[in-house]
mmCIF file of all heavy atoms in Angstrom:
data_model
loop_
_atom_site.group_PDB
_atom_site.id
_atom_site.type_symbol
_atom_site.label_atom_id
_atom_site.label_comp_id
_atom_site.label_asym_id
_atom_site.label_seq_id
_atom_site.Cartn_x
_atom_site.Cartn_y
_atom_site.Cartn_z
ATOM 1 N N SER A 105 12.233 19.590 0.070
ATOM 2 C CA SER A 105 11.475 20.457 -0.794
ATOM 3 C C SER A 105 10.457 21.246 0.038
ATOM 4 O O SER A 105 10.078 20.954 1.112
ATOM 5 C CB SER A 105 10.618 19.595 -1.759
ATOM 6 O OG SER A 105 9.663 18.723 -1.125
ATOM 7 N N ASP A 106 10.132 22.429 -0.496
ATOM 8 C CA ASP A 106 9.297 23.455 0.220
ATOM 9 C C ASP A 106 7.875 23.376 -0.410
ATOM 10 O O ASP A 106 7.609 24.152 -1.362
ATOM 11 C CB ASP A 106 9.926 24.820 0.177
ATOM 12 C CG ASP A 106 9.070 25.800 1.013
ATOM 13 O OD1 ASP A 106 8.114 25.439 1.665
ATOM 14 O OD2 ASP A 106 9.402 27.058 0.943
ATOM 15 N N PHE A 107 7.054 22.506 0.019
ATOM 16 C CA PHE A 107 5.731 22.297 -0.619
ATOM 17 C C PHE A 107 4.847 23.560 -0.604
ATOM 18 O O PHE A 107 4.186 23.869 -1.612
ATOM 19 C CB PHE A 107 5.057 21.113 -0.003
ATOM 20 C CG PHE A 107 3.679 20.782 -0.532
ATOM 21 C CD1 PHE A 107 3.513 20.110 -1.747
ATOM 22 C CD2 PHE A 107 2.512 21.209 0.090
ATOM 23 C CE1 PHE A 107 2.323 19.818 -2.309
ATOM 24 C CE2 PHE A 107 1.258 20.987 -0.453
ATOM 25 C CZ PHE A 107 1.240 20.312 -1.658
ATOM 26 N N TYR A 108 4.828 24.218 0.563
ATOM 27 C CA TYR A 108 3.947 25.389 0.683
ATOM 28 C C TYR A 108 4.556 26.697 0.262
ATOM 29 O O TYR A 108 3.887 27.731 0.279
ATOM 30 C CB TYR A 108 3.446 25.471 2.136
ATOM 31 C CG TYR A 108 2.464 24.419 2.545
ATOM 32 C CD1 TYR A 108 2.806 23.451 3.446
ATOM 33 C CD2 TYR A 108 1.267 24.273 1.948
ATOM 34 C CE1 TYR A 108 1.919 22.504 3.881
ATOM 35 C CE2 TYR A 108 0.353 23.317 2.229
ATOM 36 C CZ TYR A 108 0.683 22.396 3.253
ATOM 37 O OH TYR A 108 -0.178 21.378 3.582
ATOM 38 N N GLY A 109 5.853 26.636 -0.168
ATOM 39 C CA GLY A 109 6.531 27.921 -0.487
ATOM 40 C C GLY A 109 6.441 28.323 -1.941
ATOM 41 O O GLY A 109 7.411 28.915 -2.472
ATOM 42 N N THR A 110 5.393 27.987 -2.721
ATOM 43 C CA THR A 110 5.281 28.331 -4.023
ATOM 44 C C THR A 110 3.823 28.550 -4.288
ATOM 45 O O THR A 110 2.913 28.035 -3.651
ATOM 46 C CB THR A 110 5.789 27.079 -4.931
ATOM 47 O OG1 THR A 110 5.542 27.458 -6.340
ATOM 48 C CG2 THR A 110 5.041 25.858 -4.688
ATOM 49 N N TYR A 111 3.600 29.400 -5.342
ATOM 50 C CA TYR A 111 2.161 29.708 -5.756
ATOM 51 C C TYR A 111 1.661 28.864 -6.921
ATOM 52 O O TYR A 111 0.517 28.995 -7.345
ATOM 53 C CB TYR A 111 2.061 31.218 -6.070
ATOM 54 C CG TYR A 111 2.219 32.082 -4.861
ATOM 55 C CD1 TYR A 111 3.360 32.719 -4.623
ATOM 56 C CD2 TYR A 111 1.106 32.208 -3.986
ATOM 57 C CE1 TYR A 111 3.563 33.552 -3.496
ATOM 58 C CE2 TYR A 111 1.293 33.094 -2.834
ATOM 59 C CZ TYR A 111 2.484 33.680 -2.627
ATOM 60 O OH TYR A 111 2.609 34.506 -1.537
ATOM 61 N N LYS A 112 2.552 27.997 -7.426
ATOM 62 C CA LYS A 112 2.129 27.158 -8.493
ATOM 63 C C LYS A 112 1.083 26.167 -8.094
ATOM 64 O O LYS A 112 0.988 25.855 -6.862
ATOM 65 C CB LYS A 112 3.304 26.458 -9.188
ATOM 66 C CG LYS A 112 3.888 25.324 -8.380
ATOM 67 C CD LYS A 112 4.928 24.521 -9.160
ATOM 68 C CE LYS A 112 5.381 23.327 -8.343
ATOM 69 N NZ LYS A 112 6.261 22.438 -9.116
ATOM 70 N N THR A 113 0.295 25.615 -9.021
ATOM 71 C CA THR A 113 -0.643 24.536 -8.706
ATOM 72 C C THR A 113 0.185 23.217 -8.457
ATOM 73 O O THR A 113 0.818 22.775 -9.330
ATOM 74 C CB THR A 113 -1.627 24.310 -9.885
ATOM 75 O OG1 THR A 113 -2.321 25.507 -10.020
ATOM 76 C CG2 THR A 113 -2.634 23.187 -9.522
ATOM 77 N N ARG A 114 0.071 22.729 -7.229
ATOM 78 C CA ARG A 114 0.778 21.525 -6.923
ATOM 79 C C ARG A 114 0.028 20.307 -7.517
ATOM 80 O O ARG A 114 -1.120 20.226 -7.483
ATOM 81 C CB ARG A 114 0.903 21.359 -5.434
ATOM 82 C CG ARG A 114 1.864 22.298 -4.744
ATOM 83 C CD ARG A 114 1.158 23.630 -4.577
ATOM 84 N NE ARG A 114 1.787 24.354 -3.470
ATOM 85 C CZ ARG A 114 1.306 25.522 -3.095
ATOM 86 N NH1 ARG A 114 0.246 26.066 -3.724
ATOM 87 N NH2 ARG A 114 1.851 26.187 -2.091
ATOM 88 N N ARG A 115 0.854 19.312 -7.852
ATOM 89 C CA ARG A 115 0.384 17.992 -8.322
ATOM 90 C C ARG A 115 0.511 16.945 -7.129
ATOM 91 O O ARG A 115 1.573 16.836 -6.592
ATOM 92 C CB ARG A 115 1.083 17.533 -9.540
ATOM 93 C CG ARG A 115 0.829 18.393 -10.798
ATOM 94 C CD ARG A 115 1.653 17.902 -12.015
ATOM 95 N NE ARG A 115 3.060 18.094 -11.751
ATOM 96 C CZ ARG A 115 4.033 17.658 -12.513
ATOM 97 N NH1 ARG A 115 3.795 17.076 -13.616
ATOM 98 N NH2 ARG A 115 5.266 17.967 -12.230
ATOM 99 N N ILE A 116 -0.651 16.325 -6.854
ATOM 100 C CA ILE A 116 -0.701 15.416 -5.730
ATOM 101 C C ILE A 116 -1.013 13.977 -6.303
ATOM 102 O O ILE A 116 -2.014 13.840 -6.891
ATOM 103 C CB ILE A 116 -1.757 15.820 -4.765
ATOM 104 C CG1 ILE A 116 -1.698 17.315 -4.348
ATOM 105 C CG2 ILE A 116 -1.694 14.879 -3.474
ATOM 106 C CD1 ILE A 116 -0.373 17.642 -3.729
ATOM 107 N N ALA A 117 -0.109 13.050 -6.009
ATOM 108 C CA ALA A 117 -0.376 11.675 -6.397
ATOM 109 C C ALA A 117 -0.925 10.855 -5.257
ATOM 110 O O ALA A 117 -0.456 11.078 -4.091
ATOM 111 C CB ALA A 117 0.966 11.002 -6.861
ATOM 112 N N THR A 118 -1.914 10.067 -5.462
ATOM 113 C CA THR A 118 -2.542 9.306 -4.379
ATOM 114 C C THR A 118 -3.394 8.172 -4.932
ATOM 115 O O THR A 118 -3.837 8.274 -6.066
ATOM 116 C CB THR A 118 -3.389 10.238 -3.517
ATOM 117 O OG1 THR A 118 -3.951 9.516 -2.385
ATOM 118 C CG2 THR A 118 -4.564 10.900 -4.397
ATOM 119 N N LYS A 119 -3.569 7.121 -4.102
ATOM 120 C CA LYS A 119 -4.536 6.149 -4.340
ATOM 121 C C LYS A 119 -5.963 6.613 -3.834
ATOM 122 O O LYS A 119 -6.952 5.859 -4.017
ATOM 123 C CB LYS A 119 -4.161 4.807 -3.567
ATOM 124 C CG LYS A 119 -2.878 4.230 -4.068
ATOM 125 C CD LYS A 119 -2.426 3.049 -3.243
ATOM 126 C CE LYS A 119 -1.084 2.486 -3.619
ATOM 127 N NZ LYS A 119 -0.695 1.394 -2.721
ATOM 128 N N TYR A 120 -5.996 7.701 -3.111
ATOM 129 C CA TYR A 120 -7.235 8.112 -2.435
ATOM 130 C C TYR A 120 -7.593 9.520 -2.914
ATOM 131 O O TYR A 120 -7.384 10.519 -2.137
ATOM 132 C CB TYR A 120 -7.026 8.052 -0.918
ATOM 133 C CG TYR A 120 -6.585 6.730 -0.394
ATOM 134 C CD1 TYR A 120 -5.216 6.348 -0.323
ATOM 135 C CD2 TYR A 120 -7.546 5.822 -0.024
ATOM 136 C CE1 TYR A 120 -4.879 5.123 0.170
ATOM 137 C CE2 TYR A 120 -7.238 4.537 0.400
ATOM 138 C CZ TYR A 120 -5.826 4.239 0.550
ATOM 139 O OH TYR A 120 -5.510 3.027 1.033
#
Side-chain angles (χ1 to χ4, degrees):
S105 64
D106 185 6
F107 179 79
Y108 288 115
T110 176
Y111 290 103
K112 74 171 187 174
T113 300
R114 288 78 156 184
R115 291 177 296 176
I116 311 298
T118 183
K119 298 176 185 176
Y120 304 91

